[in-house]
């Protein structure tokens, strides 16, 4: 017989009334139902991303609790309107063919002869059927037209933007909508201050934690989902979005996912608490800090005025007592922020000041002395 391991404390079990919750007791064990579609997903999740230790260490708990809360939440984007379709379907297709290699071979969910590109051209003209008669229909169709027109005009990074959208059209309309909004808003270049851009970065890592949580539940407990568990992710986004401070745009879009509503019951209060705790355990604050380091250290002469690395220098000049501490010590000609300082910056942004319990020495000075007193 196969060995069976006990489920984690937040583990769901399926009953007639919907998702219920079971806590492990002693040596009790549960074996999830085998699901051919869920098993590869679980293996991928385990091999590609390992859950970090709980809050990495207890000293990170305060920061993680604040980051995954309504206090750190990206607001709902303004609805796009008024972008007309100025290209024919053949011209839309040509925009992608000329800029995205092998796009004509992209298939919808791997189905022979069902080409993703034809769905792109139809969506450009008429929108996504799944969002028809919803508040997002006009918003999404305008953003898709914006993306196509941007590509047609050979805008900066047009190829990568178009590829991201084309690849999304190889999956369901929930995935398509995510990509359209993400890429469209990126092209629009919505103005944010430094804190707002960091909130957006935090939101991306919250979304990764939700994906990990969905993959874990589906893989271990045989919840029926597609190869890409977007609908269960949307169920979690709806039910946990407020408590975790997920992006308001993601919550708005998730609420319009009919498959999420019909396939999975709403989580009850206890279930929400257990899932919320588990999501905070999965949230990789160390990876977030490294991503922040990579962003700010990427500053160059070509950095746009509204970019995160450029706004970071403006923020540092006002908030830090020694501005040069963000530059390399040898030449002071490039941004050189390391993880301890980056963590202190996040604590200052979202907790009001660096955590005194982790007041390390940084370049000969205590981190707390590098920040202006409020």
């Amino acid at each position: 017989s196969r060995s069976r391991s006990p489920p984690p404390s937040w583990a769901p079990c399926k009953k007639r009334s919907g998702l219920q919750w079971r806590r492990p007791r002693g040596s009790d064990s549960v074996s999830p139902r085998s699901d051919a579609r869920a098993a590869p997903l679980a293996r991928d999740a385990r091999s590609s991303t390992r859950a970090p230790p709980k809050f990495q260490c207890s000293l990170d708990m305060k920061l993680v609790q604040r980051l995954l809360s309504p206090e750190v939440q990206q607001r709902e984007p303004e609805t796009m309107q008024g972008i007309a379709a100025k290209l024919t379907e053949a011209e839309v297709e040509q925009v992608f063919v000329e800029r995205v290699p092998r796009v004509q071979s992209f298939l919808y969910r791997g189905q022979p002869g069902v080409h993703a590109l034809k769905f792109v051209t139809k969506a450009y003209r008429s929108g996504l059927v799944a969002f028809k008669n919803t508040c997002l229909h006009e918003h999404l169709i305008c953003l898709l037209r914006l993306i196509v027109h941007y590509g047609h005009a050979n805008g900066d990074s047009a190829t990568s933007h178009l590829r991201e959208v084309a690849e999304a059209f190889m999956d369901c309309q929930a995935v398509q909508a995510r990509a359209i909004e993400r890429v469209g808003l990126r092209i629009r270049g919505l103005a944010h201050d430094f804190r707002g851009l960091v909130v957006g970065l935090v939101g991306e890592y919250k979304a990764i934690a939700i994906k990990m949580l969905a993959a874990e539940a589906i893989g271990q407990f045989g919840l029926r989902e597609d190869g890409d568990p977007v609908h269960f992710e949307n169920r979690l986004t709806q039910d946990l979005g407020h408590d975790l401070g997920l992006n308001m745009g993601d919550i708005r879009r998730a609420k319009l996912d009919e498959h999420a509503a019909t396939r999975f019951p709403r989580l009850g209060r206890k279930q929400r608490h257990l899932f919320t705790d588990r999501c905070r355990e999965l949230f990789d604050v160390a990876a977030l800090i490294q991503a922040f380091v990579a962003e700010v250290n990427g500053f160059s002469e070509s950095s746009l005025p509204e970019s995160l690395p450029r706004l970071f220098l403006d923020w540092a000049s006002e908030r830090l007592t020694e501005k040069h501490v963000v530059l390399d010590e040898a030449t002071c000609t490039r941004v050189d922020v390391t993880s301890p300082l980056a963590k202190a910056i996040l604590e200052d942004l979202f907790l009001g000041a660096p955590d005194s319990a982790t007041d390390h020495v940084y370049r000969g000075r205590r981190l707390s002395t590098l920040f202006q007193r409020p």
Side-chain angles (χ1 to χ4, degrees):
S1 60
R2 291 183 299 176
S3 61
R4 298 178 177 182
S5 58
S9 60
W10 57 274
C13 60
K14 296 181 72 176
K15 293 186 178 180
R16 290 184 201 173
S17 58
L19 283 177
Q20 300 295 322
W21 295 88
R22 189 201 316 274
R23 291 185 178 276
R25 294 179 296 177
S27 61
D28 289 352
S29 63
V30 175
S31 176
R33 175 179 56 78
S34 174
D35 190 309
R37 293 177 300 175
L41 174 63
R43 287 196 297 271
D44 291 345
R46 286 192 293 270
S47 63
S48 63
T49 311
R50 291 187 179 274
K54 189 171 185 178
F55 297 118
Q56 285 70 45
C57 68
S58 60
L59 294 176
D60 290 340
M61 183 182 301
K62 188 176 180 182
L63 178 60
V64 171
Q65 290 279 5
R66 176 56 63 88
L67 292 178
L68 277 80
S69 77
E71 301 297 321
V72 183
Q73 185 174 40
Q74 195 170 62
R75 301 305 171 192
E76 192 172 296
E78 293 184 8
T79 301
M80 282 286 290
Q81 293 179 327
I83 298 183
K86 65 181 184 181
L87 302 177
T88 66
E89 289 192 7
E91 289 172 328
V92 172
E93 182 173 340
Q94 196 61 28
V95 168
F96 282 86
V97 169
E98 291 179 353
R99 294 161 181 82
V100 181
R102 299 181 299 279
V103 70
Q104 290 168 303
S105 66
F106 289 9
L107 300 178
Y108 176 74
R109 296 199 158 182
Q111 299 177 26
V114 184
H115 297 282
L117 196 51
K118 75 174 183 179
F119 294 109
V120 177
T121 59
K122 289 181 179 178
Y124 171 87
R125 179 65 55 182
S126 307
L128 300 178
V129 175
F131 292 88
K132 192 174 183 179
N133 300 322
T134 73
C135 61
L136 283 183
H137 178 70
E138 182 70 11
H139 175 68
L140 291 172
I141 194 172
C142 286
L143 284 176
L144 179 57
R145 290 171 180 172
L146 174 73
I147 295 165
V148 174
H149 297 166
Y150 184 84
H152 186 254
N154 289 315
D156 293 339
S157 302
T159 294
S160 63
H161 293 324
L162 292 171
R163 169 173 283 279
E164 189 171 344
V165 171
E167 289 176 346
F169 272 80
M170 297 166 70
D171 212 319
C172 70
Q173 292 188 47
V175 175
Q176 295 167 21
R178 281 186 183 181
I180 290 170
E181 188 165 50
R182 181 172 59 249
V183 175
L185 294 179
R186 190 187 303 152
I187 290 173
R188 279 185 70 191
L190 294 179
H192 288 290
D193 59 10
F194 173 63
R195 186 183 187 279
L197 290 176
V198 178
V199 168
L201 182 62
V202 173
E204 292 178 18
Y205 279 82
K206 291 182 187 183
I208 291 173
I210 288 290
K211 285 179 176 292
M212 293 172 66
L213 183 59
E216 193 171 72
I218 291 170
Q220 292 185 14
F221 300 96
L223 301 179
R224 298 195 62 81
E225 247 295 23
D226 300 322
D228 184 348
V230 62
H231 303 298
F232 188 56
E233 290 169 18
N234 282 341
R235 173 78 274 164
L236 296 178
T237 299
Q238 291 182 54
D239 295 344
L240 309 180
H242 174 74
D243 294 337
L244 294 173
L246 303 181
N247 293 346
M248 286 187 175
D250 294 344
I251 297 172
R252 177 179 67 173
R253 192 172 56 251
K255 287 180 177 178
L256 299 176
D257 187 344
E258 293 182 357
H259 293 296
T262 57
R263 293 183 189 181
F264 309 106
R266 291 177 59 88
L267 300 178
R269 183 173 60 84
K270 274 189 176 180
Q271 297 163 345
R272 289 201 310 271
H273 287 322
L274 291 169
F275 257 128
T276 298
D277 288 345
R278 181 57 179 159
C279 195
R280 289 189 175 118
E281 292 175 8
L282 292 171
F283 183 80
D284 196 343
V285 68
L288 168 66
I289 290 170
Q290 288 301 316
F292 176 81
V293 167
E295 284 279 353
V296 297
N297 287 353
F299 175 79
S300 68
E301 292 181 355
S302 61
S303 296
L304 298 175
E306 66 275 11
S307 67
L308 192 152
R310 181 66 180 85
L311 291 177
F312 167 66
L313 292 182
D314 294 338
W315 177 87
S317 67
E318 296 178 1
R319 189 73 188 96
L320 299 181
T321 57
E322 296 187 23
K323 286 71 176 172
H324 66 274
V325 78
V326 303
L327 304 176
D328 71 290
E329 292 186 276
T331 65
C332 288
T333 58
R334 59 184 177 84
V335 177
D336 183 25
V337 171
T338 59
S339 295
L341 179 58
K343 183 172 182 288
I345 291 169
L346 294 180
E347 290 169 344
D348 186 73
L349 280 172
F350 301 116
L351 297 176
D355 190 345
S356 59
T358 57
D359 193 11
H360 300 294
V361 174
Y362 188 80
R363 295 187 183 179
R365 296 282 302 275
R366 288 204 168 273
L367 277 171
S368 59
T369 67
L370 295 177
F371 293 80
Q372 302 278 1
R373 292 180 181 269

